[in-house]
Amino acid sequence: MFPIYDVIVVGAGHAGCEAAHAAAKMGSKVLLCTMNMNTIAQMSCNPAMGGVAKGQIVREIDALGGMSGIISDKSMIQFRMLNRSKGPAMWSPRSQNDRMKFAEEWRLALEQTPNVDFWQEMVTGITTKNGQVTGVRTGIGLEIESKSVVLTNGTFLNGIIHIGEKQFGGGRTGEAAAKGITEQLVGLGFEAGRMKTGTPPRVDGRSLDYSKMEVQFGDEAPEKFSYSDKTSTLKEQRTCWITYTNKDVHSSLEEGFDRSPMFNGRIQGLGPRYCPSIEDKINRFAERDRHQIFVEPEGWNTVEMYINGFSTSLPEDIQYKAMRKIPGFENAKMFRPGYAIEYDFFPPTQLKLTLETQLIENLYFAGQINGTTGYEEAASQGLVAGINASLKTQEKDPFLLKRSDAYIGVLIDDLINKGTEEPYRMFTSRAEFRLLLRQDNADLRLTPMGYQIGLADELRLENVKKKKEETSKLINDLKQKKVNPEQINKGLDEINSASIREKISLEKLLKRPQVGIQELSQMDPELKKYFDTYSKDVLEQAEIQIKYDSYIEKEQQMVEKISNMENYKIPTKFDYHAITALSAEGKQKLSKIRPETLGQASRISGVSPADLSIITVYLGR
């Protein structure tokens, strides 16, 4: 009935879709298994992509040849570039999306990808032989053979949904939990844990009074995620709104605390620190009188609204009573209550940097099974797992991203070396080289890598080469091109920048904090005419590189210094317990994580500088 597949992907969420697409595009025969073909790429929580650091990840996925950026663009209803008032390392693209269109576009993309087959059924376990995965076993007893398996089970592994004192099995509302996989993996020697996440109520937008809320428009000149020409920017956008909770809302919520599964001990798993439920917020930040609530449309043609900031697992009557005390929600009608979901995960320190498990060869984990939260984090892991599963079946070298290459590299390195005790979310602060890892240069950083492994196509590579050449030409021109005081002083005075007394290069002017290419264009018609010959991307790239030249250079020097440690390879079967001089914690952590390089060993929590010196001596011998 089935051929022997190169890659079987279990789960069709954001991680599973990226894994299946990447492996198939690289030439592998792929089977995507899902419990429900109608919920492929479901946006289980908020209908949005990107955000702080997450937007950078979407751009990186796109630059490598993944699909999240293209799908986001095709289903976008609003675009905002966050943190524009800060430096370019902090700029983060975010889109509001049409939930149904997003899922539809992903399904169409997968159906149009050669080498992808689908199977709708619950996978209850894997099959193994001599420490290698050989396929999967399904609920009706089928055994499907494969050279590798990628598990992307999301919140479905023994999922339990909590609404007040009620609890029932489920992977998300209206869908069954997946059973059997955790128990089998634990039996094979894996360590498992429990985590928790939540979602807010959904309401009827027709029942809200928007006159009592603040309007949140999209950007006047919206951008997009994908670097490809397969998508275009929005011509019209839907509006979002902002409102706030108050003391009355908090008092109503507190009435249900004795029935809250979070406070009475029924939920054992740890929830996300940076996306807490509303009851957690008013408990932890008791001194605050109000919390922000974002009212976000679920799509172009629906009245359903997502109440961002009001995630809760309190009883539905408490949710309803409290929600109606929020300004604009006095007559709100609820479509469905918020809930918390508890699920199994596997501490990611049990993985290699390729996302292959250490215990079972050719078995890969990606997404929330590794303890992360967020569509973007999941999608990036799915991409890397799919790439590596495909490469391994083709007997090619693995694909690894360093911390200095991408936010995706930071994410995976953090998970493997530090693990996580709460749902892991990416932030710009987690990346020590964030000035190098900007959202505007992901194509320059990663598309050549994507092309090399057969994921990004030739046209993308040509576009990157063109962008690089034009940016370089523009920067050189700006160094040579000079302006005189008569041309520029009136404009400089208008933006409170010091006037010039002699001819000065445009490069020197651009190093001033108040002066950008846009400002220079407004000062002189000839300059505007000149800048108009370049694309917006090239102009932005050149300006950033000129303004932050010395900082970028310092970060690159740091990268070179650290990369020396990455060149020291540690043998796979290195016996740490045989080295008596190592600390007890160092032996334990190094033996468990089994770092591939000295650089990776240096980032493991509990491995001291003295431990590193000792290992260096032994490697030298």
Side-chain angles (χ1 to χ4, degrees):
M1 185 175 173
F2 295 99
I4 297 175
Y5 287 95
D6 295 314
V7 184
I8 291 179
V9 179
V10 180
H14 297 260
C17 289
E18 286 289 2
H21 171 266
K25 198 171 175 189
M26 290 166 65
S28 294
K29 186 71 180 161
V30 177
L31 179 68
L32 180 58
C33 297
T34 174
M35 291 198 286
N36 188 348
M37 290 281 288
N38 295 321
T39 55
I40 287 174
Q42 181 88 314
M43 294 182 118
S44 310
C45 202
N46 61 326
M49 289 292 282
V52 176
K54 291 166 174 276
Q56 282 86 328
I57 288 175
V58 178
R59 283 258 162 106
E60 289 176 352
I61 291 169
D62 182 76
L64 285 165
M67 288 298 292
S68 287
I70 289 171
I71 304 296
S72 298
D73 288 349
K74 286 184 174 181
S75 58
M76 193 184 291
I77 64 172
Q78 191 195 76
F79 180 91
R80 292 175 67 227
M81 184 67 79
L82 308 183
N83 292 332
R84 269 286 191 196
S85 60
K86 298 179 182 176
M90 304 295 286
W91 298 352
S92 302
R94 184 185 189 271
S95 67
Q96 203 65 36
N97 294 81
D98 185 312
R99 184 188 298 280
M100 290 182 282
K101 181 99 173 122
F102 186 93
E104 180 191 26
E105 290 291 348
W106 244 125
R107 178 162 173 171
L108 290 173
L110 288 167
E111 287 181 357
Q112 289 160 16
T113 302
N115 294 329
V116 176
D117 290 347
F118 300 86
W119 186 250
Q120 178 176 290
E121 199 195 339
M122 185 190 292
V123 169
T124 55
I126 58 169
T127 55
T128 61
K129 188 178 180 182
N130 300 327
Q132 289 193 348
V133 76
T134 56
V136 299
R137 187 180 295 107
T138 74
I140 61 170
L142 293 174
E143 288 196 1
I144 310 171
E145 289 184 78
S146 180
K147 295 173 187 172
S148 64
V149 172
V150 182
L151 295 183
T152 69
N153 303 83
T155 59
F156 281 78
L157 293 178
N158 292 322
I160 296 176
I161 290 172
H162 297 265
I163 303 175
E165 293 167 304
K166 299 163 189 164
Q167 61 179 59
F168 44 93
R172 58 182 164 228
T173 184
E175 294 182 65
K179 298 187 181 296
I181 292 177
T182 299
E183 293 74 11
Q184 184 196 12
L185 292 176
V186 169
L188 287 167
F190 284 92
E191 178 194 342
R194 294 286 275 175
M195 277 190 178
K196 164 246 168 187
T197 189
T199 192
R202 310 299 200 268
V203 303
D204 187 334
R206 296 169 299 183
S207 65
L208 302 180
D209 182 354
Y210 301 103
S211 67
K212 295 181 178 178
M213 305 180 198
E214 299 169 17
V215 180
Q216 188 181 50
F217 296 108
D219 286 354
E220 276 186 36
E223 297 178 37
K224 61 192 188 89
F225 281 109
S226 182
Y227 293 97
S228 78
D229 55 6
K230 290 179 182 175
T231 63
S232 54
T233 55
L234 287 172
K235 299 291 180 283
E236 60 174 310
Q237 302 184 66
R238 277 209 70 175
T239 306
C240 297
W241 292 268
I242 297 171
T243 184
Y244 298 87
T245 63
N246 51 47
K247 286 181 179 179
D248 288 345
V249 176
H250 298 180
S251 298
S252 292
L253 290 167
E254 284 167 353
E255 286 173 24
F257 277 13
D258 59 328
R259 293 191 282 155
S260 164
M262 203 177 79
F263 295 135
N264 61 24
R266 273 199 306 280
I267 291 180
Q268 300 298 316
L270 275 168
R273 177 189 299 262
Y274 302 104
C275 189
S277 63
I278 187 67
E279 58 264 37
D280 195 18
K281 276 192 265 192
I282 62 174
N283 185 51
R284 275 164 53 189
F285 308 108
E287 73 285 355
R288 292 186 61 177
D289 292 337
R290 67 176 196 168
H291 294 282
Q292 207 167 36
I293 300 291
F294 296 91
V295 182
E296 301 173 341
E298 294 264 356
W300 284 114
N301 304 309
T302 179
V303 297
E304 190 173 356
M305 291 285 171
Y306 180 88
I307 314 306
N308 198 342
F310 204 76
S311 175
T312 179
S313 59
L314 287 166
E316 65 275 16
D317 59 321
I318 297 291
Q319 293 184 34
Y320 187 62
K321 183 182 174 185
M323 189 174 67
R324 282 193 145 206
K325 292 180 178 175
I326 298 170
F329 280 72
E330 293 83 0
N331 299 304
K333 292 178 182 177
M334 193 188 282
F335 277 174
R336 55 188 165 109
Y339 62 86
I341 183 161
E342 213 177 353
Y343 56 93
D344 293 336
F345 84 106
F346 291 83
T349 50
Q350 302 170 97
L351 303 176
K352 299 174 185 175
L353 288 167
T354 56
L355 299 182
E356 183 184 18
T357 67
Q358 293 181 22
L359 276 174
I360 305 291
E361 195 176 352
N362 300 332
L363 176 64
Y364 297 79
F365 291 173
Q368 283 176 288
I369 192 172
N370 290 336
T372 60
T373 181
Y375 307 146
E376 303 82 2
E377 289 88 344
S380 67
Q381 292 170 71
L383 183 77
V384 170
I387 288 169
N388 280 310
S390 183
L391 289 171
K392 193 157 187 199
T393 59
Q394 295 169 24
E395 297 182 350
K396 293 179 179 175
D397 290 340
F399 176 75
L400 301 173
L401 287 169
K402 299 193 293 290
R403 295 182 74 89
S404 54
D405 290 331
Y407 272 92
I408 302 172
V410 174
L411 167 73
I412 292 171
D413 191 77
D414 277 355
L415 292 174
I416 276 56
N417 295 318
K418 298 174 185 173
T420 186
E421 292 178 356
E422 60 190 39
Y424 178 101
R425 179 181 175 180
M426 180 51 73
F427 288 101
T428 48
S429 57
R430 294 194 192 269
E432 59 272 48
F433 305 119
R434 55 186 171 273
L435 192 50
L436 301 180
L437 309 182
R438 305 184 309 276
Q439 55 84 32
D440 59 86
N441 69 355
D443 55 341
L444 299 174
R445 289 184 276 122
L446 300 174
T447 297
M449 293 187 200
Y451 176 74
Q452 201 172 6
I453 59 173
L455 194 54
D457 58 38
E458 196 166 354
L459 181 61
R460 278 181 175 256
L461 188 67
E462 290 305 314
N463 287 342
V464 165
K465 284 179 181 173
K466 187 182 173 189
K467 179 177 173 179
K468 202 170 184 178
E469 286 165 8
E470 288 189 1
T471 302
S472 184
K473 179 183 178 299
L474 177 56
I475 290 171
N476 285 330
D477 280 0
L478 293 169
K479 286 177 181 176
Q480 307 301 324
K481 207 173 178 67
K482 295 190 175 182
V483 286
N484 57 49
E486 297 78 46
Q487 261 180 291
I488 216 91
N489 274 348
K490 186 173 180 289
L492 289 174
D493 186 50
E494 284 171 4
I495 60 169
N496 297 319
S497 187
S499 57
I500 57 172
R501 293 180 182 176
E502 55 188 26
K503 276 191 171 186
I504 187 172
S505 73
L506 289 172
E507 183 212 22
K508 282 187 178 170
L509 274 175
L510 281 170
K511 285 187 181 286
R512 296 184 177 190
Q514 313 97 316
V515 180
I517 283 173
Q518 190 180 348
E519 286 73 25
L520 288 173
S521 295
Q522 291 166 351
M523 291 177 196
D524 184 75
E526 284 302 308
L527 286 178
K528 185 181 186 314
K529 200 172 167 185
Y530 169 70
F531 288 131
D532 283 349
T533 62
Y534 288 94
S535 70
K536 181 178 177 292
D537 283 354
V538 169
L539 293 171
E540 183 179 75
Q541 197 60 226
E543 184 176 324
I544 290 168
Q545 287 187 29
I546 286 170
K547 277 190 181 298
Y548 297 92
D549 178 46
S550 58
Y551 300 101
I552 290 170
E553 195 179 334
K554 275 179 192 169
E555 281 204 359
Q556 281 168 337
Q557 286 169 359
M558 279 173 64
V559 168
E560 282 164 27
K561 203 178 279 185
I562 287 168
S563 67
N564 291 333
M565 292 182 79
E566 302 295 342
N567 295 330
Y568 286 96
K569 301 284 181 191
I570 301 174
T572 312
K573 293 181 180 176
F574 194 86
D575 187 359
Y576 298 101
H577 289 288
I579 306 173
T580 52
L582 283 176
S583 67
E585 188 181 3
K587 286 178 191 174
Q588 182 195 350
K589 296 280 179 70
L590 290 161
S591 299
K592 183 181 179 182
I593 294 168
R594 305 220 66 84
E596 294 174 27
T597 66
L598 201 58
Q600 188 188 344
S602 72
R603 295 188 294 276
I604 297 172
S605 177
V607 175
S608 68
D611 291 333
L612 288 172
S613 300
I614 292 159
I615 297 166
T616 308
V617 171
Y618 272 80
L619 289 175
R621 285 180 185 173

